[in-house]
């Protein structure tokens, strides 16, 4: 299902893939694809002929920057979970303890609260907690080879370019979030 076109652009081999090549489609980076809001782009995202790569990257990065209140990075999972819980207190590991800590913070600032569990429904006690276990949801590949020739390496790089671009934008956004969170903490 693959052919090599003789013409090379900018020194790169120009492998042409059948859009129905299921192995190639499985290797496409899905982070960028999952950030698309345009149905037309989403449908084109699995085309391994790469007709609109930059448009896909641009929309995915724009959506990452403009459509999400807070993001996280799996390679910085502890910081991600901690920041989510700080920004969204209802995601605390234990809501009862979080409400008591919040009440203590208000007390320390001179704001008196009659009910130190003010943020919870009357009579509620968190007995389950909200743990955040890490589990890899990956699955074993159903096609492919263990031999990585130049063509396969080229395909892997090409198929993951969009995710690399999205990851770079996500790291930039995450670092900015951490700065904002640090400023917030300093203001308390």
């Amino acid at each position: 299902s693959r052919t090599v076109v003789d013409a090379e652009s900018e020194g790169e081999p120009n492998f042409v893939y059948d859009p129905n090549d299921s192995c190639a489609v499985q290797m496409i980076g899905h982070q960028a694809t999952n950030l698309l809001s345009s149905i037309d782009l989403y449908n084109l995202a699995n085309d391994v002929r790469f007709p609109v790569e930059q448009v896909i990257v641009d929309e995915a990065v724009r959506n990452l920057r403009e459509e999400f209140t807070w993001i996280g990075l799996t390679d910085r999972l502890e910081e991600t979970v901690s920041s989510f819980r700080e920004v969204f207190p209802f995601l605390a590991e234990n809501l009862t303890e979080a409400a008591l800590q919040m009440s203590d913070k208000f007390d320390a600032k001179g704001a008196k609260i009659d009910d130190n569990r003010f943020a919870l429904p009357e009579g509620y006690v968190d007995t389950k907690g909200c743990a955040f276990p890490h589990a890899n949801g990956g699955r074993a590949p159903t096609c492919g080879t263990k031999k990585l020739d130049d063509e396969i390496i080229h395909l892997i790089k090409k198929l993951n370019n969009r995710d690399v671009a999205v990851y770079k934008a996500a790291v930039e956004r995450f670092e900015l979030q951490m700065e904002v969170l640090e400023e917030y903490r300093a203001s308390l």
Side-chain angles (χ1 to χ4, degrees), residues 9 15 39 42 49 69 89 122 129 146 156 158 175-176:
S9 64
F15 297 108
I39 298 298
Y42 185 84
R49 295 169 298 178
T69 302
E122 189 174 329
K146 292 184 181 189
I156 290 169
K158 184 125 178 139
E175 291 296 338
L176 180 62

Side-chain angles (χ1 to χ4, degrees), residues 1-4 12-17 21-28 48 50 141 143-161:
S1 64
R2 296 178 288 237
T3 59
V4 179
E12 245 185 73
N14 190 7
F15 297 108
V16 178
Y17 293 88
D21 183 339
S22 65
C23 286
V25 170
Q26 285 182 29
M27 289 193 302
I28 288 176
V48 295
F50 315 108
C143 68
T145 179
K146 292 184 181 189
K147 182 182 176 216
L148 297 177
D149 59 19
D150 289 341
E151 182 181 358
I152 298 294
I153 291 168
H154 174 77
L155 178 62
I156 290 169
K157 287 178 179 178
K158 184 125 178 139
L159 291 171
N160 287 286
N161 275 340

Side-chain angles (χ1 to χ4, degrees), residues 20-83:
N20 298 315
D21 183 339
S22 65
C23 286
V25 170
Q26 285 182 29
M27 289 193 302
I28 288 176
H30 293 285
Q31 296 301 319
T33 305
N34 292 339
L35 288 167
L36 297 176
S37 51
S38 162
I39 298 298
D40 292 334
L41 275 183
Y42 185 84
N43 290 333
L44 284 172
N46 285 329
D47 187 335
V48 295
R49 295 169 298 178
F50 315 108
V52 290
E53 281 302 282
Q54 192 57 51
V55 176
I56 290 170
V57 168
D58 291 347
E59 180 171 301
V61 169
R62 183 177 52 256
N63 285 340
L64 174 79
R65 290 179 174 152
E66 297 175 5
E67 301 298 329
F68 291 88
T69 302
W70 202 261
I71 66 158
L73 300 173
T74 53
D75 58 332
R76 292 175 67 179
L77 195 57
E78 286 185 28
E79 285 177 277
T80 293
V81 172
S82 174
S83 68

Side-chain angles (χ1 to χ4, degrees), residues 169-188:
V171 169
E172 181 183 290
R173 169 73 182 269
F174 188 79
E175 291 296 338
L176 180 62
Q177 288 175 177
M178 295 301 101
E179 288 177 29
V180 169
L181 200 51
E182 195 56 44
E183 288 176 14
Y184 167 74
R185 289 177 189 137
S187 75
L188 296 177

